[in-house]
Amino acid sequence: PFINTSLASRPTTHSSPCHLFDLRTPLPPPGEEEVFAGTLLRLDIRDFSSRPDRVAADAKLRRRERAAAEDLAQVVEDTFRPIFYAVDRHGGSVASLEGDAVLALFRGPGHPLRARRAMDDVLAVRPTLHAAVATGEVRALQLAGGEQRHEMLYGPALGALERVEDESAVIAISGEEGLDGHVLIDPPESELLRFVPPPLRGTTAPPPVHRRVVVCFIAVPIPSAVGAYRVIAEEAESQGALVLKVRAEGNDLVCLVLSGAPMAHEDDPLRAVQFALSARDRMVDAVGTKPRISLVDGSVLALVLGDGTRLCWDVIGDPVNVAYRLLSEAKAGEIVATSALLESVRTAIASPV
């Protein structure tokens, strides 16, 4: 996510998850874990993964690539806009964007009912979306490294969502509500900015564009998440890459690291491979864990989603989907990459991948 600085004086315009600044001050320090009762709502677009490629292919026949990018961005924006609005209206927070999905968090008084009402509002205007909601214990772990910071949500409530992710029915898991008792005061702007990708700080919303990038997924066990994230963020910055997203999947922390956007370099493929090698070796030595890593290069659509109250920068496209699937092929300590990417950097690297 990033902050539109022209609106930064108004707390509601921050694109960082709003529960980070409207419920807690100061922000929990890196490494701290918060446990609370909450409700998680996930809404995603069915059969979306092929749309970026269809639009790109159509662009070759019909129009310039930029026009095609704007077309696809508008499709995504039109779908996500009512989600953002409903979540805000019912006092929730857009915790993260997950490609073709939105994960929202509701906490505090009446959170199960408010989440259900937000879901009903969205489905009333977007009935083809897939929805899942779960109430229960939520764990929020603060991660930081270099100039970046993320919050990872996990725990029983998220586990319930994952169990029904492939089902079409909506599910609700009962749990304790509880009250947080936090004071409604904004935390320091400097801390919120750490949730914003460094290249996007102080910028206005860039237009949607197709970019050639290298997508890297890294998975580590959650008990190693704090130290592993610090290594990942620091090594990414040293290679001009960006930790775009983090999420909990089962017992793992999964990070999406991007090389080539928003800042591009002529040697981004080599930088991405060097990042993966350095991060893996350093995590083995300093953190005592062997990560699973995947690397894929290709064209993605980079775009900003949201409105005056939420602005989030994201990338979508086939390389993201392929890299995510390849991650399941990697064993602990292994890096799995496409043959095309390896051939482009083979002469410049000595370590086996």
Side-chain angles (χ1 to χ4, degrees):
F2 78 100
I3 296 174
N4 185 336
T5 53
S6 66
L7 303 173
S9 62
R10 295 164 50 197
T12 56
T13 63
H14 287 292
S15 65
S16 309
C18 69
H19 61 275
L20 294 176
F21 62 85
D22 65 7
L23 288 176
R24 289 174 286 182
T25 181
L27 287 173
E32 181 171 310
E33 181 178 87
E34 212 181 354
V35 182
F36 54 88
T39 298
L40 295 172
L41 170 64
R42 178 178 284 141
L43 294 145
D44 66 85
I45 307 172
R46 295 177 183 271
D47 302 322
F48 181 77
S49 58
S50 64
R51 295 190 189 186
D53 293 329
R54 288 208 307 268
V55 172
D58 290 345
K60 297 176 183 178
L61 300 174
R62 299 186 295 107
R63 62 186 71 186
R64 295 177 298 115
E65 187 178 74
R66 179 171 180 177
E70 291 174 350
D71 284 350
L72 181 59
Q74 191 61 51
V75 170
V76 178
E77 181 71 20
D78 289 346
T79 301
F80 281 2
R81 186 181 296 113
I83 298 176
F84 295 152
Y85 176 76
V87 170
D88 281 342
R89 178 186 178 193
H90 294 285
S93 167
V94 177
S96 65
L97 292 179
E98 301 173 350
D100 58 355
V102 174
L103 178 67
L105 169 66
F106 295 80
R107 60 187 294 182
H111 57 82
L113 179 60
R114 289 187 285 111
R116 184 57 185 255
R117 287 175 174 170
M119 180 189 68
D120 290 342
D121 284 356
V122 173
L123 294 180
V125 294
R126 296 289 185 269
T128 60
L129 291 178
H130 175 226
V133 59
T135 296
E137 181 183 279
V138 179
R139 293 176 175 267
L141 181 61
Q142 303 298 317
L143 304 171
E147 293 297 318
Q148 289 204 251
R149 181 167 177 170
H150 280 89
E151 179 181 66
M152 180 183 70
L153 300 180
Y154 70 110
L158 187 60
L161 278 180
E162 291 179 345
R163 287 193 294 272
V164 299
E165 194 167 14
D166 296 328
E167 299 179 10
S168 59
V170 174
I171 185 170
I173 306 298
S174 62
E176 298 291 335
E177 284 198 21
L179 298 179
D180 298 303
H182 295 287
V183 182
L184 300 179
I185 303 177
D186 298 333
E189 175 89 6
S190 59
E191 279 301 299
L192 287 174
L193 280 172
R194 295 190 68 190
F195 290 89
V196 180
L200 294 175
R201 294 173 190 171
T203 66
T204 57
V209 62
H210 284 285
R211 296 289 295 272
R212 189 81 181 180
V213 301
V214 180
V215 178
C216 176
F217 278 99
I218 303 180
V220 297
I222 286 178
S224 305
V226 174
Y229 178 90
R230 182 172 60 252
V231 169
I232 292 168
E234 291 174 353
E235 292 296 332
E237 288 182 10
S238 72
Q239 296 293 341
L242 170 70
V243 183
L244 181 61
K245 304 179 186 181
V246 304
R247 62 178 290 180
E249 294 189 6
N251 297 318
D252 287 341
L253 161 71
V254 178
C255 297
L256 192 165
V257 180
L258 201 63
S259 297
M263 300 295 292
H265 308 86
E266 292 184 357
D267 58 345
D268 278 319
L270 178 59
R271 287 170 176 260
V273 173
Q274 290 176 333
F275 155 74
L277 291 169
S278 299
R280 178 191 63 181
D281 295 344
R282 187 175 163 193
M283 274 188 272
V284 170
D285 295 337
V287 185
T289 190
K290 295 181 178 180
R292 297 183 292 113
I293 304 176
S294 64
L295 290 166
V296 173
D297 65 332
S299 179
V300 299
L301 175 64
L303 74 167
V304 171
L305 298 171
D307 52 22
T309 61
R310 293 289 182 277
L311 291 174
C312 299
W313 187 78
D314 200 6
V315 295
I316 54 178
D318 194 55
V320 180
N321 303 326
V322 174
Y324 181 75
R325 289 195 295 268
L326 281 183
L327 184 64
S328 64
E329 303 295 327
K331 299 177 182 179
E334 287 186 345
I335 302 172
V336 178
T338 57
S339 57
L341 174 60
L342 291 181
E343 285 300 321
S344 69
V345 300
R346 189 175 296 280
T347 59
I349 61 174
S351 298
V353 181

